[in-house]
Amino acid sequence: MSEAVRRAAAELRRGRLVAFPTETVYGLGADASSREAIARLYEVKGRPGDHPVIVHFTDAATAFKWASEVPEAAHKLAAGFWPGPLTLILERASTVGDFVTGGQDTVGLRVPVHPLALELLAEFGGGLAAPSANRFGRVSPTTAQHVREDLGDDVDMVLDGGPCGVGIESTIIDLSRGKAVLLRPGGISTAQLESVLGEPVGTPDSAAPRVSGSLAAHYAPRTPARLVAAAGIESEIARQGAEAAVLAFGAPDARVDFWVRMPRDPVQYAQKLYAALRELDSSGAKVLLIESPPDTPVWRAVLDRLRRAARD
Ligand code: TXA
Ligand code: MG
């Protein structure tokens, strides 16, 4: 147990906010059973009070104590993917404060696999609420440096575990209403989930719980961004030229000053995505042109984030 982890857990017990690495993105941790700590968390994130946060645990047995009912599907998914980048929405136990659930009668539970996150959770000993450690609506942080740039002194401590391996947020599955519904695509694909569940995963209808990550303009850079089909990139560059910064698969075009080349593999792409968006955002360009990956299942989670980033 490192001294930093011991100190972080002590801070959390005093109601302070500690950012920590997970395999997906950095989380802004707070004691999930403390109304005061969670109030401060919402204030720092700038998050509306009716948007719930995910609570993190060391293991499934501890996590499930926060649910009033644990369906068979939850046991299957936990056995298959925890610890890992999956969040389960279940009916909340009566002991769970409505301040972490945004007033809803469900709670989001996750067991991360990052060793530093697990160490911190073990030392802290309870549930840690941890939304992504950025201001509401902005691009999630995948390094400790991103967290410091975004939150400055508003975060009491940042545990540095290097860059996150997955790079985009966890997959969220709602199991609170009978059948499994995908609320947010992420680190675990629908195909992986379905193979463990042995049944199809549905898509949300209007009665599904609110997910802030599903708002149209979320994960957004400050600079206007446009998602452009591969075939249209060339003509967009001809039109925008020096005004644009480009995120694309191919080699840089001499007409563009700021160009980030992305991997053709979706897993590697996801890992680099948020750092790349931040770089583009601080390039001074007037518009960000993002070459769209193909619209195939393996690109689903990445495309979801790109569509929200490119709100204009
Ligand atoms: O990968 C992740 O999930 C990261 C790391 C830090 O664990 N966390 C994360 O948290 O992305 P956040 O708060 O930025 O996004 C959590 C999403 C939100 O869209 C929220 O609305 C949804 O989870 N959520 C949490 N509890 C929920 C609930 N009870 N019902 C429906 N959605 C819920
Ligand atoms: Mg977030």
Side-chain angles (χ1 to χ4, degrees):
M1 172 73 48
S2 78
E3 180 50 35
V5 169
R6 231 190 304 272
R7 205 151 42 82
E11 290 284 306
L12 289 163
R13 279 193 287 270
R14 295 167 60 201
R16 301 277 175 83
L17 305 182
V18 175
F20 64 94
T22 80
E23 68 279 17
T24 59
V25 301
Y26 274 72
L28 182 59
D31 181 351
S33 56
S34 161
R35 184 182 290 277
E36 295 72 33
I38 300 302
R40 168 111 195 280
L41 177 69
Y42 274 67
E43 192 185 308
V44 164
K45 267 218 58 129
R47 179 175 239 176
D50 62 349
H51 286 274
V53 288
I54 297 171
V55 189
H56 299 65
F57 300 90
T58 47
D59 60 90
T62 317
F64 288 155
K65 288 191 186 132
W66 286 51
S68 64
E69 210 194 304
V70 182
E72 187 50 35
H75 287 292
K76 281 191 191 165
L77 291 180
F81 301 107
W82 278 354
L86 176 69
T87 297
L88 300 179
I89 308 295
L90 299 177
E91 271 177 48
R92 77 171 148 111
S94 56
T95 45
V96 177
D98 60 0
F99 46 86
V100 283
T101 69
Q104 305 189 54
D105 49 18
T106 56
V107 62
L109 307 172
R110 169 159 130 76
V111 177
V113 71
H114 196 291
L116 207 49
L118 287 172
E119 233 187 277
L120 178 65
L121 285 161
E123 176 71 5
F124 175 68
L128 279 185
S132 51
N134 53 286
R135 309 267 184 212
F136 187 67
R138 316 303 316 183
V139 176
S140 295
T142 52
T143 67
Q145 184 59 30
H146 293 161
V147 178
R148 291 194 193 96
E149 283 164 14
D150 278 6
L151 301 179
D153 290 341
D154 283 347
V155 53
D156 298 304
M157 185 175 168
V158 182
L159 273 182
D160 191 342
C164 301
V166 175
I168 55 173
E169 301 81 355
S170 61
T171 303
I172 304 182
I173 293 288
D174 178 22
L175 295 173
S176 69
R177 297 176 315 135
K179 70 192 268 303
V181 171
L182 177 75
L183 297 186
R184 180 174 73 183
I188 311 271
S189 73
T190 307
Q192 286 175 289
L193 294 166
E194 288 174 340
S195 77
V196 164
L197 274 177
E199 56 178 280
V201 170
T203 46
D205 55 39
S206 56
R210 290 182 302 268
V211 179
S212 54
S214 69
L215 296 178
H218 213 75
Y219 313 110
R222 290 186 167 78
T223 317
R226 301 192 39 202
L227 194 57
V228 184
I233 271 281
E234 166 68 31
S235 62
E236 276 298 322
I237 288 170
R239 221 157 60 80
Q240 314 264 10
E243 305 273 83
V246 174
L247 189 78
F249 293 107
D253 181 304
R255 290 165 294 180
V256 174
D257 290 335
F258 202 93
W259 185 290
V260 177
R261 194 171 182 182
M262 296 297 279
R264 289 187 190 274
D265 170 68
V267 172
Q268 288 173 30
Y269 189 110
Q271 205 261 323
K272 295 203 150 111
L273 176 60
Y274 288 150
L277 284 178
R278 281 167 183 267
E279 262 187 71
L280 289 172
D281 210 10
S282 54
S283 68
K286 294 219 166 55
V287 60
L288 312 182
L289 299 179
I290 303 172
E291 178 182 354
S292 182
D295 193 354
T296 55
V298 290
W299 286 98
R300 183 171 184 177
V302 161
L303 259 177
D304 170 78
R305 304 308 189 279
L306 291 178
R307 288 188 177 126
R308 294 179 209 290
R311 68 226 128 107
D312 310 280

